[in-house]
Amino acid sequence: MTARSYKVAGHVFTLESDLNIDEGLKNYAPFAVPAGESAPAVFTLRIVQFTSPIEYTEETRQDEEGQQIICGRTAGRQSVFEFTLTHKHAGTLVCDEGYKNSTLYLTDFAPRFGINNALMVLYALATAPLGTALFHSAVVEHGGYGYMFLGKSGTGKSTHARLWLENIENTTLLNDDNPVVRVLPEGIRVYGSPWSGKTPCYKDESHPLGGIVLLEQAPFNKIRALRGIEAYAAILTSISGKRWEKSIADALHVTENAIAMGARMWNLQCLPDADAARLCHETIKAR
């Protein structure tokens, strides 16, 4: 099988496949590990052609904007994740214990969707014990720092990031949907990733975390600091993970607690306008 390795936020993972999947891997090119360079992989994903349904017991499912992930376990206690798009099956991921070795059974329908979802799931779970969190967030870079915008789906994360780009000089987009955050001895950093939602922004770069902003739609612009349990609760639903599995939940709790205690955080109630971006910038910019 042909092997390819990628490094995202300092963590290396390997893909193995004989299928023609190059078209589905273009967003991973900036993260490719050069040939001849070796490093231990946090997980390996084998991609093969789907031939027959995998038998498993469903545990839970997630539906969002026509995308569905069904989670379960086989009789042999392997974790299963089935990916569908507009009710069509794109692939089934079967994982060994610890998520170090897994197989994606890929269909001919939406292969890029199947590969991206499998890799996001594996990355989030395999790196959870390593002080790493895959966020659902938009993030911009300004003044050498990364600023993250969180919120429920449809709140306006991408819109607020765009308002910074349009109104705050020398701002660039780092990632529009799925940045990675790591808690390191020297501090908290936010990283670009191969997963960026509807806006193609795949940057292999990182910055110290300047702040996290929880957005809420409102008929006015108002910002206040978050601390303690409010800060913890603000990030909880924005981090990907299998929280009904104790080892994953415990590992994520350690990371979430470190971020809540160590990051500067705010709640911004706002309109989708330039004044909201200016107020946010003036309040949270690192000085």
Side-chain angles (χ1 to χ4, degrees):
M1 282 194 167
T2 301
R4 309 165 174 85
S5 292
Y6 302 92
K7 183 187 290 185
V8 176
H11 299 305
V12 174
F13 57 86
T14 298
L15 305 185
E16 297 178 348
S17 185
D18 284 335
L19 302 180
N20 182 13
I21 57 174
D22 291 342
E23 187 65 27
L25 297 176
K26 289 182 177 179
N27 47 312
Y28 296 85
F31 304 88
V33 175
E37 182 179 316
S38 61
V42 293
F43 68 84
T44 298
L45 174 63
R46 183 171 172 258
I47 302 176
V48 300
Q49 186 69 42
F50 176 85
T51 55
S52 59
I54 306 296
E55 293 186 3
Y56 67 93
T57 300
E58 181 178 332
E59 295 176 322
T60 188
R61 61 177 60 199
Q62 173 185 316
D63 292 274
E64 185 175 348
E65 297 180 351
Q67 303 177 26
Q68 185 179 67
I69 301 178
I70 306 170
C71 311
R73 286 192 181 274
T74 67
R77 305 303 295 165
Q78 291 176 301
S79 292
V80 176
F81 302 86
E82 187 171 302
F83 309 113
T84 68
L85 180 63
T86 60
H87 306 291
K88 296 180 181 178
H89 181 213
T92 302
L93 175 66
V94 181
C95 311
D96 290 345
E97 185 177 359
Y99 305 99
K100 301 297 184 184
N101 294 285
S102 304
T103 301
L104 173 63
Y105 297 89
L106 192 66
T107 72
D108 293 328
F109 172 72
R112 182 176 179 179
F113 171 81
I115 293 169
N116 272 331
N117 275 275
L119 287 173
M120 282 193 286
V121 165
L122 282 174
Y123 188 92
L125 300 179
T127 64
L130 304 175
T132 303
L134 180 63
F135 269 79
H136 182 44
S137 165
V139 56
V140 299
E141 180 275 327
H142 177 76
Y145 290 87
Y147 297 95
M148 299 174 62
F149 308 125
L150 314 182
K152 296 178 181 178
S153 181
T155 299
K157 297 180 290 294
S158 296
T159 297
H160 193 75
R162 176 178 54 78
L163 288 167
W164 271 59
L165 298 176
E166 293 173 352
N167 296 282
I168 309 302
E169 191 175 356
N170 299 319
T171 298
T172 59
L173 185 67
L174 178 60
N175 189 274
D176 194 45
D177 200 43
N178 290 109
V180 177
V181 173
R182 291 192 65 182
V183 178
L184 301 167
E186 62 271 24
I188 304 172
R189 295 188 72 86
V190 58
Y191 297 75
S193 82
W195 312 295
S196 191
K198 297 174 183 176
T199 302
C201 185
Y202 313 115
K203 294 182 178 179
D204 181 21
E205 61 182 68
S206 72
H207 302 279
L209 180 61
I212 297 175
V213 180
L214 177 65
L215 300 174
E216 290 184 45
Q217 294 179 349
F220 52 81
N221 295 320
K222 181 181 178 181
I223 191 167
R224 66 182 181 91
L226 296 177
R227 297 182 179 86
I229 192 66
E230 272 196 307
Y232 183 91
I235 63 175
L236 196 62
T237 57
S238 294
I239 294 176
S240 301
K242 194 177 179 183
R243 297 183 185 276
W244 62 96
E245 186 170 311
K246 187 177 185 303
S247 61
I248 299 296
D250 288 348
L252 287 176
H253 168 70
V254 172
T255 301
E256 290 156 354
N257 194 50
I259 295 171
M261 292 178 63
R264 302 159 70 234
M265 296 181 59
W266 292 266
N267 169 228
L268 175 64
Q269 296 172 285
C270 63
L271 294 159
D273 62 15
D275 286 342
R278 296 189 188 104
L279 171 65
C280 187
H281 167 253
E282 284 303 314
T283 304
I284 76 172
K285 66 181 179 182
R287 303 178 192 277

